[in-house]
């Protein structure tokens, strides 16, 4: 017999509060989208999405991620343009959709109060807000992941053709959003597959097992993803040979990662504790009127795997093979922890949990939330290129060191003159000795102190060492050097 679900909010009250949560989520994601410049990766997305679809797929295939976000930009750029705001609008919209989806997941697992609390927590999450204002695939990853999770839970609850098809395509969309989706997808697939094997072994009737049907749908997702999976394996070999920029996950790295995810170490452990409590209570004492006890256990296992699988698998891969664990790549798993924590809180104190936990979250993350909304920056490409365009003279040339950031310089300089990309000090030495009628400018990008010192030594003659403009992230960010007149130093 199923338990009756107790509601402490009426449907009308829930609708009003959910509307308020979505309104807050929209304001903090859509407001002032062009407050910061585009940075390297955002400009790469713009550059890859400007040509034909074939060109887009070819360019993305040579990179380390699937193409779905680029396809979204390819579809929206002709309609709304490619300003900083326009490029970030799809991410902001997907961030808002994710808040709505996390409500549906929480509601399905444990009722409308749990869904509302989860939505409120995600709405004010600094991590989710920041990456909902970035023209990259992270907001897409979170939204597709939640859509995949919701479809999986729906198929486990009551399979239908509609939800079967939804699971096939949301699973494929999840996989095509980011390579880290493989971890979440595989974790959920493993749970469904194991449950299906147990149930089929007992009944000898595969299609009476909802978990088998879910596994079959996920198999359809994998078939749709196979072409790109082959390309990713080819790229994985190249990355393994070349090395990767992510640091080894030692204790200090993990502490930083936890803070980046939650905005507060205390809040993270509070949510983790409540999440474990929520999983345990819901597993042994299900209360949902929509899922019977057996299916409720499966649903909780799926949500737990969706949450824990990506960080655990990425950590194991990082310590055994090559570091790949990074905060923004876990943006899909983060709402899973929020849902589990909301389940624990509403079971622990049904009438007061929402207010208490939201209050604690806002209080504990307020410094990081305020910093994210008002002061957090990306490298100031807009400022530095504006300065260059205003002070350059006919015949001047611009050298860019290093070439990987060419897309963002192209974005801000389009129609205002070109530049030459330089990959190493030897090439810079040759170019600086080439005589030109005008002055030579050198833009140093994300170079370490040794590289910066070597480049300056080649560029300056010993008398003009103060002719530097510094913007953005300090010595590792953007530095513009002018071989002519000494300009004002900006920091």
């Amino acid at each position: 017999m199923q338990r009756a679900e107790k509601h402490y909010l009426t449907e009308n009250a829930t609708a009003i509060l959910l509307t308020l949560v979505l309104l807050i989520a929209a304001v903090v994601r859509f407001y002032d989208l062009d407050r910061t410049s585009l940075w390297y990766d955002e400009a790469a997305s713009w550059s890859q999405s400007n040509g034909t679809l074939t060109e887009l797929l070819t360019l993305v295939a040579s990179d380390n991620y699937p193409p779905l976000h680029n396809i979204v930009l390819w579809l929206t750029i002709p309609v709304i343009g490619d300003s900083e705001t326009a490029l970030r609008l799809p991410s902001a919209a997907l961030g808002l959709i994710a808040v709505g989806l996390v409500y549906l997941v929480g509601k399905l697992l444990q009722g409308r109060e749990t869904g509302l609390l989860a939505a409120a927590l995600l709405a004010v999450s600094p991590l989710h807000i920041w990456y909902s204002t970035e023209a990259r695939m992270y907001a897409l990853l979170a939204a597709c992941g939640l859509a995949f999770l919701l479809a999986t839970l729906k198929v486990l609850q009551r399979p239908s053709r509609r939800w079967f098809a939804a699971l096939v395509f949301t699973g494929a969309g999840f996989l095509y959003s980011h390579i880290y989706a493989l971890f979440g997808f595989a974790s959920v697939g493993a749970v469904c597959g194991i449950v299906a094997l147990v149930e089929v072994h007992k009944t000898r009737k595969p299609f009476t097992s909802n978990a088998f049907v879910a596994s079959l749908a996920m198999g359809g997702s994998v078939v749709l993803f196979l072409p790109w999976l082959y390309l990713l394996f080819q790229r994985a070999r190249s990355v393994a040979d070349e090395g990767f920029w992510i640091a080894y996950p030692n204790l200090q790295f993990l502490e930083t990662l936890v803070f980046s995810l939650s905005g507060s170490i205390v809040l993270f452990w509070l949510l983790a504790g409540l999440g474990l409590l929520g999983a345990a209570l819901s597993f042994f004492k299900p209360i949902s009127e929509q899922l019977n006890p057996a299916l409720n256990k499966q649903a909780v296992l799926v949500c737990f795997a969706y949450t824990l699988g990506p960080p655990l698998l990425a950590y194991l891969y990082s310590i055994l093979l090559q570091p790949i664990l990074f905060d923004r790549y876990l943006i899909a798993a983060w709402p899973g922890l929020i849902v589990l924590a909301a389940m624990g809180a509403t079971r622990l104190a049904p009438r007061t949990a929402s207010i208490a936990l939201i209050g604690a979250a806002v209080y504990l993350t307020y410094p990081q939330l305020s910093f994210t909304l008002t002061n957090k920056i990306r490298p100031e490409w807009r400022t530095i290129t504006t300065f260059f365009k205003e002070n350059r003279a006919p015949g001047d040339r611009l050298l860019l060191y290093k070439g990987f950031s060419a897309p963002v310089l192209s974005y801000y300089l389009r129609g205002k003159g070109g530049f030459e990309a330089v990959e190493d000090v030897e090439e810079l030495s040759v170019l600086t000795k080439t005589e030109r009628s005008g002055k030579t400018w050198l833009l140093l990008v994300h170079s370490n102190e040794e590289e910066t010192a070597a480049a300056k030594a080649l560029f300056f003659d010993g008398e003009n060492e103060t002719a530097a403009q510094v913007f953005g992230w300090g010595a590792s960010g953007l530095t513009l050097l002018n071989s002519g007149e000494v300009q004002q130093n900006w920091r």
Side-chain angles (χ1 to χ4, degrees):
M1 180 179 294
Q2 297 176 358
R3 294 170 180 254
E5 185 180 0
K6 297 180 180 179
H7 291 298
Y8 299 97
L9 291 172
T10 65
E11 290 187 6
N12 287 339
T14 302
I16 292 171
L17 290 173
L18 180 59
T19 301
L20 179 61
V21 168
L22 292 173
L23 181 61
I24 293 171
V27 169
V28 296
R29 285 161 177 77
F30 284 93
Y31 176 71
D32 207 14
L33 276 175
D34 62 351
R35 181 179 65 82
T36 67
S37 302
L38 298 184
W39 72 296
Y40 324 109
D41 287 4
E42 290 180 289
S45 293
W46 164 78
S47 178
Q48 292 168 348
S49 308
N50 262 314
T52 66
L53 183 59
T54 301
E55 290 171 338
L56 181 156
L57 295 175
T58 301
L59 288 170
V60 179
S62 65
D63 216 322
N64 302 319
Y65 50 83
L68 185 55
H69 177 257
N70 295 80
I71 293 173
V72 171
L73 291 182
W74 183 76
L75 293 170
T76 58
I77 286 174
V79 179
I80 61 177
D82 63 354
S83 66
E84 293 153 331
T85 297
L87 292 174
R88 289 167 175 164
L89 270 175
S91 292
L94 288 162
L96 182 60
I97 289 170
V99 175
L101 287 171
V102 85
Y103 166 78
L104 295 176
V105 171
K107 179 184 177 184
L108 182 60
L109 283 168
Q110 195 170 272
R112 62 176 75 114
E113 291 82 7
T114 297
L116 188 61
L117 176 56
L121 290 171
L122 188 61
V124 297
S125 164
L127 174 89
H128 197 266
I129 291 169
W130 180 249
Y131 290 109
S132 295
T133 63
E134 184 164 292
R136 290 291 280 173
M137 70 292 294
Y138 306 113
L140 175 70
L141 172 63
C144 287
L146 286 167
F148 162 71
L149 178 59
L150 178 64
T152 303
L153 296 176
K154 283 288 189 179
V155 171
L156 288 176
Q157 172 194 344
R158 189 179 297 109
S160 66
R161 291 182 179 178
R162 183 182 66 173
W163 282 110
F164 182 90
L167 180 51
V168 171
F169 289 106
T170 57
F174 187 33
L175 292 171
Y176 273 103
S177 63
H178 193 273
I179 191 170
Y180 250 56
L182 288 167
F183 294 138
F185 187 93
S187 301
V188 171
V191 169
C192 290
I194 292 171
V195 171
L197 286 174
V198 172
E199 291 181 342
V200 171
H201 178 73
K202 290 181 179 179
T203 64
R204 306 295 179 182
K205 298 178 180 179
F207 289 97
T208 62
S209 167
N210 294 354
F212 177 83
V213 176
S215 300
L216 196 63
M218 281 184 267
S221 303
V222 172
V223 170
L224 293 176
F225 187 63
L226 279 178
W228 208 266
L229 186 62
Y230 172 77
L231 294 174
L232 286 177
F233 277 128
Q234 295 297 109
R235 279 295 298 160
R237 295 179 183 177
S238 174
V239 171
D241 293 338
E242 298 171 3
F244 208 42
W245 53 269
I246 297 177
Y248 183 83
N250 56 26
L251 181 59
Q252 183 179 359
F253 179 93
L254 293 176
E255 289 177 352
T256 302
L257 181 142
V258 165
F259 179 81
S260 297
L261 285 173
S262 59
S264 164
I265 300 292
V266 174
L267 178 64
F268 176 83
W269 289 114
L270 176 61
L271 294 178
L274 288 172
L276 290 173
L277 177 65
L281 290 177
S282 298
F283 191 84
F284 294 107
K285 295 181 179 180
I287 66 169
S288 174
E289 63 185 11
Q290 299 177 21
L291 296 175
N292 65 39
L295 294 179
N296 194 89
K297 292 178 181 180
Q298 294 176 16
V300 172
L301 283 174
V302 162
C303 190
F304 197 78
Y306 175 83
T307 303
L308 188 61
L312 180 59
L313 292 175
Y315 177 75
L316 291 174
Y317 189 98
S318 296
I319 62 175
L320 296 176
L321 297 172
Q322 183 178 29
I324 61 169
L325 184 62
F326 207 60
D327 54 1
R328 59 178 178 256
Y329 300 163
L330 296 175
I331 195 171
W334 175 241
L337 178 59
I338 286 176
V339 169
L340 292 171
M343 291 170 62
T346 51
R347 289 293 295 274
L348 190 64
R351 296 182 183 274
T352 60
S354 296
I355 296 175
L357 187 54
I358 292 171
V362 172
Y363 174 77
L364 291 170
T365 64
Y366 180 77
Q368 189 67 11
L369 182 61
S370 176
F371 174 67
T372 298
L373 293 172
T374 59
N375 296 318
K376 192 172 183 178
I377 64 168
R378 299 175 174 96
E380 279 292 342
W381 285 93
R382 182 169 55 203
T383 305
I384 206 166
T385 52
T386 298
F387 178 85
F388 171 70
K389 287 184 287 187
E390 291 175 349
N391 289 275
R392 68 177 300 178
D396 286 3
R397 68 170 175 173
L398 175 62
L399 304 180
L400 173 66
Y401 183 89
K402 309 270 191 70
F404 73 85
S405 57
V408 67
L409 190 54
S410 297
Y411 177 85
Y412 283 107
L413 281 184
R414 46 186 166 172
K416 301 296 183 181
F419 59 91
E420 298 174 69
V422 182
E423 296 298 336
D424 52 48
V425 173
E426 289 74 15
E427 186 179 358
L428 178 62
S429 176
V430 173
L431 288 175
T432 52
K433 294 176 182 177
T434 303
E435 292 188 7
R436 294 287 294 264
S437 58
K439 294 179 296 185
T440 296
W441 301 71
L442 175 64
L443 180 56
L444 298 173
V445 178
H446 208 68
S447 303
N448 59 37
E449 292 184 4
E450 292 181 359
E451 290 176 317
T452 301
K456 285 184 177 181
L458 286 172
F459 188 71
F460 287 125
D461 60 11
E463 298 179 357
N464 291 330
E465 294 188 2
T466 58
Q469 307 294 325
V470 180
F471 303 80
W473 291 346
S476 66
L478 308 175
T479 304
L480 182 64
L481 309 177
N482 179 356
S483 64
E485 299 178 359
V486 175
Q487 303 289 339
Q488 176 189 10
N489 280 317
W490 287 7
R491 293 186 180 273

